Amino acid sequence: QVQLVESGGGLVQAGGSLRLSCAASGVIFSVNPMAWYRQAPGKQRELVATITTDGTTNYADSVKGRFFISRNGVQNTVYLQMNSLKPEDTAVYYCNGRYRDVPYWGKGTLVTVSS
């Protein structure tokens, strides 16, 4: 019933920027918290950033200062602004959100950063 759909992935050159979006549907109340994860081929999925309803954000050390998470509460949409991208950022990025204490996942969007 609850669905998260990511968009905005693609191919970008190192040093460039990309903005990911995640829209939640099938929910009446706010999804809280919302987060972005990523998984590179052969690697474990890792937490990139989180944001709560009150706007509190947290970032992985690897992206701190480069990535910024934000949300639109009315539309239950979360964004990930990615700047100064590095080849190491190449991964499938997944949106995650909790609704009524149940986690939901998007299918992911691929971000490829070329050197």
Side-chain angles (χ1 to χ4, degrees):
Q1 193 170 41
V2 177
Q3 295 185 77
L4 303 179
V5 181
E6 305 98 333
S7 62
L11 175 64
V12 65
Q13 197 166 353
S17 299
L18 212 57
R19 187 182 188 236
L20 305 182
S21 298
C22 172
S25 62
V27 297
I28 298 174
F29 304 104
S30 296
V31 177
N32 184 49
M34 296 192 77
W36 286 98
Y37 287 74
R38 68 184 182 185
Q39 187 168 24
K43 306 295 182 181
Q44 289 192 57
R45 187 171 298 186
E46 64 175 336
L47 178 63
V48 176
T50 62
I51 186 167
T52 61
T53 301
D54 65 6
T56 301
T57 59
N58 285 285
Y59 300 91
D61 289 340
S62 60
V63 306
K64 194 169 297 182
R66 299 189 298 121
F67 290 12
F68 301 92
I69 188 171
S70 61
R71 66 181 294 160
N72 182 325
V74 176
Q75 296 183 321
N76 272 315
T77 303
V78 64
Y79 307 93
L80 183 67
Q81 178 66 45
M82 305 184 294
N83 302 316
S84 301
L85 284 162
K86 306 174 181 179
E88 303 90 274
D89 295 319
T90 296
V92 175
Y93 284 71
Y94 297 91
C95 179
N96 170 268
R98 296 187 71 88
Y99 183 64
R100 294 181 177 179
D101 295 323
V102 177
Y104 294 88
W105 292 90
K107 293 183 178 180
T109 185
L110 177 63
V111 172
T112 302
V113 184
S114 62
S115 59

